[in-house]
Amino acid sequence: MKKEQLLDLYYQMVLIRRVEERGAELYQAGKIGGFMHLYIGQEAVSTGLIAAREPRDRVITAYRDHGVAINCGISADSVMAELLGKATGMSKGKGGSMHMADTEKNMWGGHAIVGGHLPIAAGFAVGDQYAKNDNITICMFGDGATNIGYFHEALNLSKTWGLRVLWVCENNQYGMGTAVNRASAVDEIRQKAEGYGMKNAEVNGMDVMAVYEAAKEAIDFVRKEGQPYFLEVDTYRFRGHSMGDPERYRKAEEVKQWQENDPIGIFNKYLLDKKVATRKALDEIEARVEEEVQKAVEFAETSPEPALEELFTDIYADN
């Protein structure tokens, strides 16, 4: 990967972190309604994964979607405006935190129902199969989603019909407030793919370069072989499940231990050790991000609310 690409990955990860930190402040100030699930701590996952795709490959994810939106090229202005429910958001202020999407950038949401988007991903891949192209659908979901029926139905169909889907489980160790080993028959989630005879792998989700390499290999397999692939990414969210989570199910020492492996800190050290960038260059990127996020907040706060007549638009498809 070229120097410019590596620095862009660093920029994206820092941008996700700062957008969400400001978003949390605005939520606590009562300026953001509904639920909001932060991606802080998991930035390396979507950044490495989406860097490995081609623009023609779709991405579909669950409700922890702010980072994915930014990685797909949706601006901080548009993300922040959507969080604040403004008409300038990418979903016109009617989707909010959990329903970010921009089909022009092949980002197909942002889905609030746990696991509900997995059959949709399989459906996308069926469409590609009918169209006789080798586009790939990348479907991201949490560990908790692997315990429900949609997961098994979707994986079974994808293997049976030879669908080009990269299934990506973001194992952040908890399904809401329940540890993986209290809800799943197996701790290593990728073992579930074995039951469907599906090729699979596991990768450290705190290391963006490791995620990128694993995703590249998986995408190459899916495209060439016309078969699905299951990638388990081990990661950790530094904040609660959502903004209203008191986090009584885990100890502060555990969170601190994972924070010592901050994905942004790891990548910062990688760039310095490999002499890809100087400390001054990385500081300049961080300063640029701070300025961009401040402008995004100002843009969102001064943007109009959705007009009343927008209430029923985008509900039904024309033609």
Side-chain angles (χ1 to χ4, degrees):
M1 191 178 287
K2 295 179 180 177
K3 174 182 177 180
E4 292 73 19
Q5 292 172 297
L6 290 168
L7 294 182
D8 186 55
L9 295 189
Y10 186 73
Y11 159 77
Q12 291 179 40
M13 292 172 69
V14 176
L15 182 60
I16 293 169
R17 180 72 59 92
R18 299 292 175 261
V19 163
E20 291 211 317
E21 288 174 341
R22 290 301 302 274
E25 293 173 6
L26 294 167
Y27 189 94
Q28 290 167 334
K31 295 183 177 180
I32 296 175
F35 291 100
M36 188 164 80
H37 307 80
L38 300 180
Y39 203 55
I40 293 174
Q42 298 183 217
E43 296 93 342
V45 182
S46 62
T47 302
L49 181 66
I50 294 168
R53 75 161 180 167
E54 295 183 17
R56 61 189 171 123
D57 299 328
R58 297 185 192 86
V59 180
I60 184 168
T61 188
Y63 44 77
R64 209 176 297 281
D65 59 354
H66 313 154
V68 177
I70 287 171
N71 293 133
C72 285
I74 298 172
S75 71
D77 282 1
S78 188
V79 170
M80 195 64 78
E82 191 58 42
L83 287 174
L84 270 69
K86 298 300 183 72
T88 51
M90 89 286 291
S91 300
K92 302 180 182 178
K94 299 188 289 184
S97 170
M98 296 196 285
H99 302 101
M100 295 194 172
D102 187 337
T103 57
E104 292 185 359
K105 297 186 182 300
N106 251 341
M107 196 288 193
W108 294 79
H111 294 259
I113 304 301
V114 175
H117 62 296
L118 274 70
I120 298 173
F124 284 149
V126 171
D128 285 328
Q129 196 174 61
Y130 269 103
K132 300 186 185 304
N133 65 53
D134 62 355
N135 297 344
I136 290 172
T137 297
I138 300 171
C139 181
M140 304 169 69
F141 47 89
D143 44 271
T146 68
N147 299 325
I148 67 171
Y150 283 141
F151 169 82
H152 297 280
E153 293 168 5
L155 259 68
N156 182 60
L157 274 183
S158 69
K159 181 60 181 176
T160 303
W161 292 352
L163 303 179
R164 286 190 172 89
V165 184
L166 172 57
W167 303 108
V168 181
C169 175
E170 293 188 83
N171 184 353
N172 65 12
Q173 317 305 318
Y174 292 94
M176 294 185 73
T178 304
V180 168
N181 61 9
R182 295 186 62 199
S184 174
V186 291
D187 292 353
E188 195 178 40
I189 302 295
R190 71 181 182 127
Q191 291 180 31
K192 297 180 181 181
E194 295 282 353
Y196 299 103
M198 190 179 298
K199 189 174 173 62
N200 59 83
E202 188 172 2
V203 65
N204 174 12
M206 310 307 275
D207 181 343
V208 67
M209 294 309 297
V211 174
Y212 172 78
E213 295 297 338
K216 197 77 175 169
E217 181 179 337
I219 287 171
D220 286 346
F221 173 86
V222 174
R223 202 178 314 275
K224 291 176 182 173
E225 302 299 327
Q227 289 290 323
Y229 189 106
F230 189 96
L231 183 63
E232 179 178 358
V233 186
D234 293 313
T235 184
Y236 197 81
R237 55 174 162 74
F238 294 167
R239 303 291 184 94
H241 169 71
S242 67
M243 290 299 295
D245 180 2
E247 298 187 67
R248 296 192 181 101
Y249 50 85
R250 63 182 185 180
K251 295 181 179 177
E253 292 80 10
E254 177 186 308
V255 179
K256 183 179 178 184
Q257 185 177 358
W258 278 89
Q259 286 176 328
E260 288 172 356
N261 290 311
D262 187 328
I264 294 177
I266 290 174
F267 194 41
N268 183 299
K269 185 175 184 304
Y270 172 91
L271 294 171
L272 293 174
D273 289 349
K274 297 289 184 182
K275 301 189 185 306
V276 174
T278 61
R279 164 55 56 196
K280 181 172 180 289
L282 297 181
D283 287 347
E284 287 174 353
I285 290 174
E286 293 173 18
R288 177 160 64 94
V289 167
E290 293 285 355
E291 184 178 349
E292 184 175 345
V293 173
Q294 178 57 34
K295 288 181 178 176
V297 172
E298 293 169 4
F299 171 79
E301 292 198 307
T302 57
S303 289
E305 305 279 349
L308 187 59
E309 54 268 26
E310 283 289 316
L311 188 59
F312 294 107
T313 60
D314 308 313
I315 303 298
Y316 301 103
D318 296 327
N319 303 318

